[in-house]
Amino acid sequence: MVDHDDEGAEGLQSVSDPVEGEDPAPPAIVPEDGGDPSGGWRARWLVPLVVAVVVAVVVVAGLVGWRVVENRRHDAALGSCVRAVKVLQGKIGSDRMAQYREAAGIKADQVKDSGTVVAMARSVKNTEGLRQRTVRCKASMSTGDLNAEADQARKIDSKFAAVAKASKAVTASRDAKALEDARAALNAERDEASRLLADSDGKVADNATRDSLQAAIDQAGQVKSGKAKVYRDAADALQAAIDRVSASMQAKSQADQQAAAQAQAQASTPRQAAQRSGSSERKSATSNNRRKSSTQSRPATGQRGGGSSQAPAAPSAPQGGGSNWRDRLNRPDTSMHGCNSAGLCGIG
């Protein structure tokens, strides 16, 4: 290190020494402030200008950077708001709202678990009766407003998420009870059909109806489904078969009644004829007997075709008094209804 310093010192001395054959340069005048005497006036305004330019650049750069950051924040807030609204719209669309209202109308006696009805009512109340709210996300809105709208959309979405969950639960409970009721109804229908099939043997007008009833019973016993409609359809088919057998039984009963009535009418016809004939004979005999009796009681007045007539027998003389009927006939009537001695007769 020392050697290097000596060499440097020697170099400096060699430079300062005058070269042989050249005139030494005149000594330079150095100003007291150490500046260049020819550019001193420039230094006074150049430094502030440079500082001002630098500050301006920094300010502009800061403004540009802030604007870029703010635009990014605004775009992020707008995107967040739009996504929140889109998620919310998936829960409050027209189809979903119709499902919520249907679920809200389910009664406790229609479900297996009545607690689902209570939960549904609570969630509906929390949304103010399923009232829809409007959430807007516009690019012209400020970042703060967009963030506020996004938060509002998330709150509404959480409320309707509870409604959707409660609606699903109460609907499932209703469907479970409907399935259970439909299955029980089909079993009861099968029992009724089996009894009718046994009772209708030999009592139907068309035995094919009993065959179709047997087929419906067998088909109903094979139903296995998780939907109540399948059991209800099977019950309807079974009921239709039951109705056909009942109608056939009624038709045969009516036909049997008509046949019995006709047989009874045919059997009663000879008896009625005999009764009418016997009555006519009795009436004729009675009439003949009356004529004979009348003929025998009438006195004979004579004989037809000539011959002497017999005079009626004279009445016998009454007993006592010594007078006969001729004397009484010629004797004048002295009663009130006869004629008196003067020849006057009373009226009446």
Side-chain angles (χ1 to χ4, degrees):
M1 292 298 293
V2 175
D3 293 341
H4 288 295
D5 292 337
D6 293 341
E7 289 177 358
E10 292 177 356
L12 290 174
Q13 292 176 358
S14 64
V15 170
S16 61
D17 292 339
V19 180
E20 201 175 316
E22 293 182 357
D23 295 335
I29 301 173
V30 179
E32 294 180 356
D33 56 359
D36 188 2
S38 61
W41 61 275
R42 296 177 183 173
R44 292 187 181 94
W45 61 268
L46 182 59
V47 174
L49 180 61
V50 172
V51 172
V53 171
V54 172
V55 171
V57 171
V58 171
V59 171
V60 172
L63 291 175
V64 172
W66 175 83
R67 187 61 182 173
V68 170
V69 173
E70 183 63 24
N71 288 340
R72 290 178 179 176
R73 289 179 57 197
H74 183 272
D75 293 343
L78 179 61
S80 177
C81 184
V82 170
R83 287 190 296 271
V85 170
K86 186 175 181 180
V87 173
L88 176 60
Q89 287 177 346
K91 293 183 176 67
I92 62 173
S94 58
D95 294 340
R96 285 292 189 92
M97 295 300 292
Q99 293 176 3
Y100 300 155
R101 292 188 178 94
E102 180 184 358
I106 296 175
K107 306 301 182 183
D109 58 349
Q110 296 177 290
V111 296
K112 291 188 67 175
D113 183 8
S114 60
T116 58
V117 177
V118 176
M120 183 65 193
R122 186 183 302 114
S123 64
V124 170
K125 182 179 180 181
N126 195 29
T127 58
E128 299 179 6
L130 300 177
R131 184 173 67 89
Q132 290 179 297
R133 297 181 182 180
T134 303
V135 180
R136 296 182 177 87
C137 298
K138 296 182 179 180
S140 60
M141 298 171 62
S142 65
T143 302
D145 292 341
L146 289 172
N147 289 331
E149 289 293 312
D151 292 340
Q152 183 70 13
R154 294 187 189 97
K155 290 179 181 178
I156 299 174
D157 179 77
S158 64
K159 293 180 179 179
F160 276 94
V163 172
K165 182 179 179 180
S167 173
K168 185 177 180 180
V170 72
T171 302
S173 184
R174 178 198 62 184
D175 294 342
K177 187 175 188 304
L179 178 61
E180 183 178 315
D181 293 344
R183 188 183 292 115
L186 179 60
N187 291 334
E189 199 82 8
R190 284 185 62 203
D191 294 340
E192 180 184 354
S194 298
R195 288 192 297 268
L196 179 63
L197 185 66
D199 295 341
S200 62
D201 189 13
K203 300 178 182 179
V204 293
D206 184 7
N207 200 58
T209 57
R210 297 183 71 253
D211 295 338
S212 64
L213 180 60
Q214 181 64 64
I217 293 173
D218 296 339
Q219 189 174 7
Q222 298 174 359
V223 174
K224 292 181 180 179
S225 176
K227 295 182 179 180
K229 185 178 184 302
V230 177
Y231 289 92
R232 285 195 291 264
D233 292 342
D236 292 340
L238 194 57
Q239 183 61 48
I242 290 174
D243 294 340
R244 287 192 293 269
V245 171
S246 299
S248 184
M249 291 178 65
Q250 186 176 3
K252 188 177 188 306
S253 177
Q254 292 177 353
D256 292 344
Q257 291 177 1
Q258 292 177 357
Q262 291 177 357
Q264 184 178 2
Q266 291 176 358
S268 63
T269 299
R271 289 196 299 270
Q272 292 176 355
Q275 291 175 357
R276 287 195 297 269
S277 177
S279 176
S280 177
E281 290 177 354
R282 287 193 297 271
K283 290 180 179 179
S284 177
T286 302
S287 178
N288 291 333
N289 291 334
R290 290 178 178 175
R291 284 197 297 271
K292 290 179 179 179
S293 176
S294 175
T295 303
Q296 292 175 357
S297 62
R298 184 182 306 135
T301 57
Q303 295 180 354
R304 293 182 180 180
S308 60
S309 60
Q310 186 176 359
S316 60
Q319 297 290 334
S323 62
N324 55 18
W325 61 275
R326 289 186 178 91
D327 294 336
R328 288 194 303 269
L329 183 62
N330 294 324
R331 185 183 303 165
D333 188 5
T334 59
S335 65
M336 292 296 296
H337 299 287
C339 298
N340 53 21
S341 58
L344 296 177
C345 297
I347 297 175

